[in-house]
Amino acid sequence: ERNLDWFPRMRAMSLVSSDSEGEQNELRNLQEKLESTMKLVTNLSGQLSELKDQMTEQRKQKQRIGLLGHPPPVSVNPQQPA
């Protein structure tokens, strides 16, 4: 019949299964790293948002101080008659 499916092709069944297990382990490790990275990004995004809010509040306070503060000094020219 000339069917050569039975002939060995330099691949053992044990190597094929261990390759797939190794790939699965690698995929699991990558998935764990991705989840960890996503948690870090979420945490950093929250911190950045909080910092942005703090900076906005500080700007508002500086503007209020500028508006409520002392008026700019009036320069008096002593050479002009009063």
Side-chain angles (χ1 to χ4, degrees), residues 19-67:
D19 285 346
S20 65
E21 288 175 14
E23 288 175 6
Q24 288 178 358
N25 285 337
E26 187 176 343
L27 286 174
R28 261 187 249 122
N29 287 338
L30 289 173
Q31 184 69 28
E32 288 173 4
K33 287 180 181 181
L34 178 62
E35 289 173 4
S36 174
T37 302
M38 288 172 59
K39 287 178 185 178
L40 286 171
V41 168
T42 301
N43 186 17
L44 288 173
S45 293
Q47 290 177 356
L48 185 59
S49 178
E50 187 177 321
L51 182 61
K52 181 180 172 184
D53 292 343
Q54 289 175 359
M55 294 295 290
T56 301
E57 187 61 33
Q58 283 181 358
R59 278 193 210 116
K60 287 180 183 178
Q61 287 178 357
K62 285 182 180 181
Q63 288 174 350
R64 287 184 201 131
I65 290 171
L67 293 174

